[in-house]
Amino acid sequence: MSGIDGLPPLREVIATHQLSAKKSLGQNFLLDLNLTAKIARAAGDLTGMDVLEVGPGPGGLTRGLLAEGARRVLAVEKDARCLPALDEIARHYEGRLEVINGDALQVDPLEKLTPPIAICANLPYNVGTELLVRWLTPTDWPPFWSTLTLMFQREVAERIVAQPGSKAYGRLALLAQWRCEARIVISLPPSAFTPPPKVSSAVVHLKALPEPRYPADAKTLERVVATAFNQRRKMLRAALKGLAPDIEEKLLAAGIEPTERAEQVSLEQFCALARILKG
Ligand code: SAM
């Protein structure tokens, strides 16, 4: 029995249910329940919150979230082999865990959850960035969630919190920092996972701001940023020339030197340019 909840240790759960890790599903499991409880705590106070978890696998983080007091957890898992293990957790925490066997990209969590909602996950690497971008780019703000606490490959985590002038700075940093506070809260070596991945990982905590830091139309800002960083080594007047015939004037009006490169431009300047382009 394990200390946090009296359920069997995760190694035993994996052996009982024969959950050999599948690479195609990005399966690198966390088997240390002290660590999964720590990740759950990094999500903040979960009392009175519904939690969306993507990819619970054998349920280590799910157990952390429930033990840390989440009101309800909705866990979306693609691999049906994990369902019996998750069912044992659901029975232990009666009425607090619902599991959907499906693809997180296809599920609408709002059909099942009530705000305030936290999202917390050790994400499968193959769909992690796509889910993050989706959660960061709704047209209306604030979004349905209050916080995201997500495990990524270290390199992706660094792109989310990157500052101008750094190599990691780009679309992810701008989308994340425009409407959220973003920071790396836990760093993990490959050995924290079973099986160990090739690279290190990090947990990023994003808190939705009540309003964006600077006004801008979301779709225009996304287009400007995507276009600018698509050709990040070009001068902006060349990289963005398809966006407006008089792009040089518009860049100057936004306080941006047309000969600069995208990685030198601040979030505030990108927002100013998006407002000017929107008209
Ligand atoms: N949360 C568990 C842990 O921390 O040990 C497992 C994390 S593992 C990195 C990713 C999990 O996501 C796997 O259980 C995998 O089957 C699941 N998964 C992969 N693609 C998925 C998808 N599109 N929708 C839902 N779950 C997915």
Side-chain angles (χ1 to χ4, degrees), residues 25-30 53-58 61 76-79 82 102-105 122-124 126-127:
L25 287 170
Q27 291 183 338
N28 299 99
F29 300 133
L30 293 169
E53 185 191 1
V54 172
L61 181 56
V76 184
E77 174 56 62
K78 200 168 174 180
D79 185 353
C82 299
D103 183 342
L105 293 166
N122 174 14
L123 286 174
N126 43 353
V127 290

Side-chain angles (χ1 to χ4, degrees), residues 14-234:
I14 285 187
T16 308
H17 300 284
Q18 298 179 2
L19 298 176
S20 54
K22 283 193 186 170
K23 212 173 169 185
S24 60
L25 287 170
Q27 291 183 338
N28 299 99
F29 300 133
L30 293 169
L31 303 186
D32 176 351
L33 286 161
N34 292 316
L35 179 56
T36 60
K38 182 174 168 187
I39 296 169
R41 281 196 295 279
D45 183 5
L46 295 175
T47 327
M49 295 197 81
D50 280 5
V51 179
L52 170 65
E53 185 191 1
V54 172
L61 181 56
T62 321
R63 286 163 64 175
L65 293 165
L66 289 161
E68 289 300 318
R71 178 174 60 190
R72 269 169 50 76
V73 175
L74 175 67
V76 184
E77 174 56 62
K78 200 168 174 180
D79 185 353
R81 294 180 310 154
C82 299
L83 299 184
L86 296 167
D87 195 45
E88 281 168 17
I89 305 170
R91 274 186 274 123
H92 184 81
Y93 288 99
E94 216 191 315
R96 290 174 59 202
L97 171 62
E98 183 172 350
V99 180
I100 296 182
N101 180 207
D103 183 342
L105 293 166
Q106 310 294 335
V107 169
D108 177 5
L110 276 182
E111 283 177 6
K112 303 278 187 183
L113 299 178
T114 316
I117 297 169
I119 300 181
C120 188
N122 174 14
L123 286 174
Y125 291 148
N126 43 353
V127 290
T129 314
E130 184 171 349
L131 282 167
L132 173 68
V133 169
R134 197 183 280 195
W135 291 325
L136 289 175
T137 55
T139 312
D140 296 323
W141 201 262
F144 72 88
W145 49 269
S146 313
T147 58
L148 306 175
T149 308
L150 305 171
M151 179 89 70
F152 290 100
Q153 297 177 7
R154 176 90 208 176
E155 175 253 320
V156 177
E158 278 169 5
R159 278 164 48 205
I160 296 168
V161 302
Q163 295 299 310
S166 68
K167 244 174 103 183
Y169 183 64
R171 177 167 167 258
L172 269 190
L174 286 150
L175 291 184
Q177 296 171 35
W178 179 40
R179 303 195 279 195
C180 299
E181 261 170 30
R183 62 205 167 89
I184 291 179
V185 287
I186 303 175
S187 298
L188 291 163
S191 59
F193 302 84
T194 305
K198 288 208 175 67
V199 294
S200 297
S201 301
V203 177
V204 182
H205 183 73
L206 296 113
K207 185 166 183 251
L209 296 168
E211 283 179 36
R213 283 181 210 276
Y214 308 101
D217 170 65
K219 290 275 162 279
T220 314
L221 181 63
E222 273 173 64
R223 191 159 46 92
V224 171
V225 167
T227 316
F229 283 96
N230 231 342
Q231 307 184 63
R232 57 189 297 146
R233 271 177 297 179
K234 278 196 180 168

